[in-house]
Amino acid sequence: DQRPAFLRMRGVEVFGETRRDDGGMSSTEEPTSRQPEATGAREARAAIAIAAALYVMGAALIATAPLLPNVSSPAGAAAVAAAALLTAAGLLIAFSRRRGGLGLACAADLWGIVLIALLCASTGGASSPFGLIYFFALGHAAAFQPRGRLILVSVAGLVAFLAPLAYADVPTAFGAVAAVGIVLALLTCAVIHVALERMRVQRRDLEFLIGATANLDASLDPAETLRKIARTAVPEFAEL
């Protein structure tokens, strides 16, 4: 036993090592503390929970469809609302069971775009006020998804937003409104994405420095200290 004598005599508990109590009995203690949940996993669970909340909000907005003019298919709007609630329930189940990740959140964004496109087709096409709900999917992807998936969601949202051009008579003002709306939406998503990604990088650097600093005085053996710092760095690099 390489521990100092006062630790051996007093039987101080060391995780994973043999412990001797005052009566001379020895036992092996297993670590009882769990590793904290990784930052990436926490963000993925938050993305799933927020996606579920957005689906519920979308269903609540769709409930106002009967009050709007030019609603060609109230039954279609009701079906979209029901699908949104079912999707929210599935996302909440995944959240409670700690299943899925950012891939599931991205799939939820893309499925939401499909539902919004169907909703717009049922509520006036190009003149549907529910086209604004596309911001839900785009903003959610900008906040949580990496750049490649954000581009995918943005392209899908753009195609769905312009879909009424293929199946309905579009008023002349639609072009100007669409151009301004698309530019504002893409710029807003880009600013949100860049700002949050910068915050994530700074947070990861800070967490790594805090973890490495905490390990500096954990052992007097330089080799053991370097091994602990390396173990601290591995999860951080894995998230990059």
Side-chain angles (χ1 to χ4, degrees), residues 83-193:
L85 291 177
L86 289 176
T87 304
L91 291 172
L92 289 176
I93 291 173
F95 174 81
S96 63
R97 296 183 178 179
R98 297 178 180 272
R99 300 290 178 85
L102 289 181
L104 177 60
C106 182
D109 293 334
L110 293 173
W111 174 239
I113 289 173
V114 172
L115 292 181
I116 298 167
L118 294 175
L119 176 63
C120 290
S122 302
T123 56
S127 61
S128 174
F130 294 111
L132 295 174
I133 304 180
Y134 284 116
F135 280 107
F136 283 7
L138 296 179
H140 184 263
F144 292 102
Q145 297 298 335
R147 183 176 302 173
R149 288 176 178 171
L150 172 60
I151 293 175
L152 174 63
V153 173
S154 299
V155 171
L158 178 61
V159 171
F161 182 74
L162 296 177
L165 295 172
Y167 62 79
D169 294 331
V170 177
T172 55
F174 177 77
V177 174
V180 175
I182 290 170
V183 171
L184 287 178
L186 294 179
L187 286 177
T188 302
C189 290
V191 170
I192 292 173
H193 181 74

Side-chain angles (χ1 to χ4, degrees), residues 10-138:
R10 298 186 63 84
V12 173
E13 179 178 352
V14 178
F15 291 142
E17 296 184 2
T18 300
R19 172 186 173 185
R20 186 175 299 277
D21 56 22
D22 293 336
M25 300 297 293
S26 63
S27 62
T28 301
E29 295 289 340
E30 295 295 333
T32 57
S33 60
R34 295 181 178 179
Q35 291 292 335
E37 190 177 13
T39 302
R42 291 197 302 269
E43 285 196 3
R45 296 189 70 235
I48 293 173
I50 293 174
L54 290 175
Y55 270 99
V56 173
M57 292 173 58
L61 290 174
I62 296 171
T64 65
L67 304 177
L68 301 175
N70 302 324
V71 176
S72 57
S73 177
V80 172
L85 291 177
L86 289 176
T87 304
L91 291 172
L92 289 176
I93 291 173
F95 174 81
S96 63
R97 296 183 178 179
R98 297 178 180 272
R99 300 290 178 85
L102 289 181
L104 177 60
C106 182
D109 293 334
L110 293 173
W111 174 239
I113 289 173
V114 172
L115 292 181
I116 298 167
L118 294 175
L119 176 63
C120 290
S122 302
T123 56
S127 61
S128 174
F130 294 111
L132 295 174
I133 304 180
Y134 284 116
F135 280 107
F136 283 7
L138 296 179

Side-chain angles (χ1 to χ4, degrees), residues 204-226:
R204 281 196 296 263
D205 293 343
L206 181 60
E207 289 176 349
F208 173 73
L209 290 175
I210 292 174
T213 304
N215 287 325
L216 290 178
D217 59 352
S219 174
L220 297 179
D221 183 4
E224 178 63 22
T225 300
L226 290 176

